[in-house]
Amino acid sequence: MKKILLIGTGGTIASEMTDDGLAPKLDSTQLLRYIPRVSELCAVDCIQLMSVDSTNMSPSGWLSIARCVETHYDAYDGFVISHGTDTMAYTAAALSYLIRNSQKPVVLTGAQKPISMDVTDSKQNLSDAFTYACDERASGVSIVFNGSVILGTRAKKVRSKSFSAFASINFPELAVLQDGRVLHYIDLGYRERAAFSHALNDSVGLVKLIPGTDAGMLNYALDRFDAVIIESFGVGGLPEGNDGCFRAAIERGIKAGKLIMITTQVQNEGSNLTVYQVGHALKQQNIIEAFDMTTEAAVAKLMWIMGETRDPDRVRERFYTPVSHDILYTESE
Ligand code: ASP
């Protein structure tokens, strides 16, 4: 029988109603009691790492989860991490960089409704996560939610209330779960012990453009952070602002050794800065383009790379090196 470690971190799945709204109360041992039939599938040990609404998750929390998996890696066949849905996609992306090529599955799950409620997705999602974690062909970091298995680098929360909360962006789902069976579409093919990283540089800021954004926002972010991601419009571009003040901010930031990345606020299909004049000039500058990556993965990947190097050429090269299928194309077409 397989041995799986359940790592509890909080979230709705473990929440109970308080006078101020839902808050995580149940630990991982209590969660497991709601799905007794899992004992027919695998032997489970439980660890409660933290009890947070995932709104309070942070890069140091990602490092703790990765460290927990690494510490127990040899003793278990797979890992299930119960987590709040709000930032689960960021955690899944971060763990994909901190725990690479893992032959053993690292499966995140959670729910839109607490496990103690009569109508809840918690029990199904948690059972499915164990089913997938026990599957011979499962590997790498993924999210199991609402019957879908989504690659950790490709997940995005796309619904705030419905059970179908997550989508796989610009990449197919790895598998689906139906009646307790796994139907595989993609085998990641990881057959080795995972490679672990232990550092993140969390000095990454995000500027989401709106029509009329003040370039002062960008200047502030470039002063404040080592790397700034600009979530632009459509396939990507930068407004001219007053007298080209955005361009001036970019030039100043690059001279100061800051890393600047452009991505898009459009959920599907990604960026291509060469299409429009407003994006074209940026290609001449030393800007990184996120192409088909999710913002969640772009944030986590920058933090991970910059945990090891700040050299702009190295960061660029490593950013465009795919990890767990996080980026499919790296040239504008
Ligand atoms: N606010 C909750 C959290 O992210 C939402 C959830 O888990 O669904 O922890």
Side-chain angles (χ1 to χ4, degrees):
M1 196 177 242
K2 295 231 179 194
K3 277 185 77 181
I4 306 294
L5 182 63
L6 173 60
I7 302 170
T9 71
T12 294
I13 189 169
S15 286
E16 286 183 346
M17 193 49 85
T18 71
D19 290 345
D20 308 317
L22 291 170
K25 297 282 177 204
L26 304 182
D27 63 24
S28 46
T29 309
Q30 291 169 308
L31 281 185
L32 199 62
R33 286 198 198 116
Y34 281 90
I35 50 164
R37 289 185 56 191
V38 140
S39 62
E40 294 166 19
L41 188 70
C42 53
V44 183
D45 288 332
C46 297
I47 284 186
Q48 191 62 26
L49 202 55
M50 57 191 97
S51 278
V52 294
D53 187 298
S54 77
T55 302
N56 289 319
M57 187 54 74
S58 62
S60 69
W62 302 337
L63 287 169
S64 310
I65 299 171
R67 218 173 290 121
C68 180
V69 171
E70 182 174 17
T71 305
H72 298 95
Y73 195 78
D74 295 326
Y76 292 92
D77 299 302
F79 302 85
V80 172
I81 301 162
S82 60
H83 193 290
T85 60
D86 290 345
T87 65
M88 191 188 294
Y90 285 94
T91 300
L95 294 182
S96 304
Y97 300 113
L98 295 172
I99 309 170
R100 294 176 306 287
N101 302 325
S102 177
Q103 164 221 336
K104 298 184 180 182
V106 177
V107 182
L108 288 125
T109 197
Q112 294 280 56
K113 296 285 178 204
I115 206 160
S116 56
M117 283 190 177
D118 289 343
V119 178
T120 177
D121 50 341
S122 293
K123 291 176 207 166
Q124 189 66 55
N125 287 346
L126 198 54
S127 305
D128 282 351
F130 280 106
T131 302
Y132 189 67
C134 288
D135 194 277
E136 278 310 321
R137 283 191 290 166
S139 62
V141 177
S142 61
I143 288 180
V144 167
F145 211 95
N146 195 43
S148 294
V149 183
I150 298 171
L151 189 60
T153 53
R154 292 294 183 170
K156 188 179 278 290
K157 186 169 181 182
V158 293
R159 287 193 180 79
S160 58
K161 297 175 184 172
S162 313
F163 289 173
S164 52
F166 287 90
S168 185
I169 305 299
N170 299 331
F171 199 80
E173 292 178 357
L174 297 182
V176 292
L177 286 122
Q178 282 166 3
D179 304 325
R181 289 179 57 184
V182 183
L183 306 178
H184 284 273
Y185 299 141
I186 295 175
D187 183 349
L188 293 173
Y190 301 143
R191 298 284 179 265
E192 287 162 27
R193 191 182 196 282
F196 291 91
S197 294
H198 307 103
L200 293 168
N201 175 348
D202 64 1
S203 185
V204 174
L206 177 76
V207 175
K208 179 170 181 162
L209 297 184
I210 59 170
T213 294
D214 188 328
M217 288 273 289
L218 183 56
N219 276 314
Y220 169 78
L222 286 165
D223 286 342
R224 173 76 181 71
F225 300 106
D226 292 343
V228 174
I229 299 174
I230 303 169
E231 232 184 34
S232 173
F233 311 114
V235 287
L238 207 60
E240 278 154 25
N242 297 331
D243 302 326
C245 50
F246 276 91
R247 186 74 57 77
I250 299 275
E251 274 163 21
R252 201 173 64 85
I254 284 175
K255 259 196 210 121
K258 305 294 172 129
L259 285 145
I260 304 174
M261 178 186 295
I262 296 266
T263 186
T264 173
Q265 34 192 281
V266 179
Q267 178 180 289
N268 293 300
E269 299 176 355
S271 69
N272 182 350
L273 286 175
T274 62
V275 177
Y276 294 101
Q277 214 172 33
V278 286
H280 214 266
L282 289 169
K283 290 302 278 183
Q284 265 67 69
Q285 289 168 304
N286 212 12
I287 279 188
I288 301 175
E289 185 174 351
F291 292 108
D292 59 303
M293 283 182 77
T294 61
T295 296
E296 290 86 339
V299 166
K301 194 171 194 178
L302 267 187
M303 288 188 186
W304 168 63
I305 297 170
M306 292 196 321
E308 288 171 27
T309 178
R310 284 279 319 278
D311 175 70
D313 291 334
R314 280 287 295 146
V315 174
R316 190 187 186 77
E317 183 196 319
R318 287 195 51 193
F319 190 83
Y320 288 137
T321 305
V323 176
S324 191
H325 305 277
D326 60 348
I327 189 161
L328 289 177
Y329 57 98
T330 54
E331 286 296 328
S332 298
E333 283 148 12

